[in-house]
Amino acid sequence: MALLGYNLFVCYVIGHGDGDLNLCDMIIEQELKKYPDGVWFKFFKARYEYVQGNLEMAIEWYTKAWQSQTQWIQFHHLCYWELMWAHCFKQDWVSARDFSDLLLHESRWSRAMYGYQKASYMCMLHDKLGSDEKKELNQLLKDIPAWKQRIAGKSIPMEKFIIKKCSRYFAQNEKLVLPAIELLYLWNGFKIIGKQIPIVESFLKLIETQEQIVETDICFPFPYDNTCLLLLLKGMCLRHMKMWEEAEECFRKVISLEKELKDDTYLPPYATYELGILQWIEGKYEKAMVTLENAKSGFKGYSLESRLHFRIHAAMADLRALRRETKGSNKSSVIDEQ
């Protein structure tokens, strides 16, 4: 169970690379043969499919896991959270909204987080919402700040972030720019959808459509913030599509606009990190290390700073290990030649 938790959750939430999926597959298949009704192994089977971008299979197994027991309601909530994201990746905003609504009304972990997740999916449906639904959305975004928690005297960073977004919604004439995709990015969702290029392409189309709206809509009083968000998300899509020059251009543009940002000051450091990962993918290890170090030490006091630092530390550790392996293999080659 510990191996499955580490390789299927920890590696994807705060790490850089994939977990050991071959090991996970072996363990899950072995345990499901022994315990075909085991809810946890059904859940891990769902997660195994999920991290590979096999969304229909993931939804099927999460549903089996959720419906196979009724005693432990918290287990249902864990399944709802995963199902919410699986439907988000499919751009099924209605189903994603419904699962976030279940979490909002049943779970006590973070009402603010669940409420904003629901609001973000409703924003994605904005033009299709009826008048009552729009009133519900507005009221929800007014209520969320009152749900903020303090743990050991400190606020939860993600809750602080979403409360700022609630204020932004009303400052922008009751609009937000692709809030569900912004959350998807912050929860490391591109690592999942990047396994399925058709899904990435569909997100890119959505982002490019929103770019045109932001360029022409005078109701957005945060033009640079919204443009930089879209550039970061676009760069992520292009990187996974192996359009590396175009992705680098997006990331560098975000970094260059740092001083123009009013609110979303987290975007340049995150873009710097993503540029470092791109350089790593291209085999430019020395440049990647310098860029990642700049992402870590070159920016201070922005939203979700600790979240990014976890990613940076994980990436730098993996990159150092890779460089040591590369140097070791080069030395071995020289010895063999001699």
Side-chain angles (χ1 to χ4, degrees):
M1 292 279 282
L3 284 171
L4 292 174
Y6 175 78
N7 284 289
L8 294 176
F9 280 93
V10 176
C11 290
Y12 291 89
V13 175
I14 63 173
H16 163 68
D18 289 327
D20 188 339
L21 296 182
N22 290 329
L23 174 64
C24 292
D25 186 35
M26 182 186 71
I27 294 172
I28 292 166
E29 293 304 318
Q30 178 180 297
E31 296 304 319
L32 280 175
K33 285 179 182 178
K34 291 182 183 177
Y35 311 105
D37 296 324
V39 294
W40 278 112
F41 294 113
K42 288 179 182 180
F43 177 81
F44 282 122
K45 172 65 173 175
R47 180 71 184 184
Y48 171 76
E49 298 293 346
Y50 174 91
V51 299
Q52 296 176 90
N54 300 327
L55 301 179
E56 294 299 339
M57 285 292 292
I59 290 170
E60 179 182 339
W61 278 98
Y62 279 131
T63 304
K64 286 180 181 178
W66 152 37
Q67 294 179 348
S68 62
Q69 65 87 37
T70 57
Q71 288 79 22
W72 192 23
I73 193 65
Q74 289 84 358
F75 181 78
H76 288 191
H77 299 159
L78 189 56
C79 293
Y80 295 164
W81 176 262
E82 297 287 297
L83 283 162
M84 176 191 74
W85 283 115
H87 287 291
C88 172
F89 295 163
K90 291 176 61 184
Q91 296 183 34
D92 180 354
W93 310 123
V94 172
S95 295
R97 178 202 62 189
D98 291 345
F99 278 108
S100 60
D101 186 61
L102 284 171
L103 287 165
L104 175 61
H105 289 96
E106 294 184 14
S107 176
R108 297 180 180 179
W109 175 66
S110 173
R111 290 197 74 203
M113 184 71 249
Y114 298 142
Y116 186 72
Q117 293 276 174
K118 178 181 177 180
S120 73
Y121 301 130
M122 293 181 77
C123 285
M124 302 300 290
L125 293 163
H126 197 273
D127 293 338
K128 299 177 182 178
L129 296 179
S131 59
D132 289 344
E133 290 174 311
K134 287 181 180 178
K135 288 178 183 177
E136 180 188 1
L137 172 60
N138 288 351
Q139 188 61 50
L140 182 59
L141 288 164
K142 288 177 182 177
D143 291 341
I144 287 170
W147 298 339
K148 183 174 73 170
Q149 304 175 92
R150 297 184 74 84
I151 298 176
K154 294 185 177 181
S155 300
I156 299 171
M158 183 58 84
E159 289 192 352
K160 290 171 67 177
F161 175 82
I162 64 179
I163 287 167
K164 288 174 66 177
K165 288 293 176 178
C166 292
S167 299
R168 180 82 160 272
Y169 173 82
F170 294 105
Q172 288 188 157
N173 196 29
E174 298 180 355
K175 293 179 183 177
L176 285 171
V177 173
L178 301 185
I181 306 180
E182 182 179 28
L183 287 175
L184 180 155
Y185 168 75
L186 291 170
W187 285 99
N188 237 2
F190 273 96
K191 185 183 286 190
I192 309 298
I193 66 171
K195 307 291 177 60
Q196 301 289 344
I197 296 304
I199 297 176
V200 178
E201 290 173 340
S202 68
F203 274 98
L204 180 60
K205 288 179 182 177
L206 195 60
I207 293 162
E208 289 177 335
T209 299
Q210 189 66 44
E211 278 185 313
Q212 297 173 3
I213 295 170
V214 167
E215 286 173 5
T216 58
D217 194 337
I218 61 173
C219 293
F220 288 104
F222 297 83
Y224 290 108
D225 298 66
N226 292 320
T227 295
C228 284
L229 172 60
L230 292 170
L231 283 169
L232 177 61
L233 299 176
K234 185 176 182 179
M236 292 300 297
C237 292
L238 293 169
R239 193 178 77 194
H240 285 290
M241 293 166 66
K242 298 186 178 180
M243 299 173 69
W244 293 334
E245 288 185 11
E246 294 89 340
E248 180 174 346
E249 183 180 343
C250 289
F251 297 143
R252 290 194 182 279
K253 183 68 173 175
V254 175
I255 297 165
S256 71
L257 292 172
E258 178 187 2
K259 296 187 184 303
E260 305 296 334
L261 299 179
K262 296 180 181 179
D263 208 17
D264 291 334
T265 54
Y266 82 94
L267 292 169
Y270 274 77
T272 304
Y273 164 77
E274 300 299 350
L275 176 60
I277 299 300
L278 174 59
Q279 291 168 336
W280 179 355
I281 293 168
E282 293 178 305
K284 302 172 183 176
Y285 299 149
E286 297 297 332
K287 281 188 176 180
M289 187 61 77
V290 171
T291 303
L292 290 171
E293 182 61 41
N294 184 37
K296 183 177 75 170
S297 58
F299 305 89
K300 300 292 181 185
Y302 54 90
S303 296
L304 304 176
E305 185 172 350
S306 59
R307 179 176 289 246
L308 180 59
H309 280 209
F310 275 118
R311 295 189 192 180
I312 293 170
H313 285 302
M316 292 180 77
D318 289 348
L319 183 52
R320 287 191 189 100
L322 177 61
R323 290 166 72 191
R324 284 195 296 270
E325 289 175 10
T326 303
K327 288 178 181 178
S329 64
N330 288 342
K331 287 180 182 178
S332 297
S333 298
V334 171
I335 291 169
D336 292 342
E337 289 171 6
Q338 291 175 344

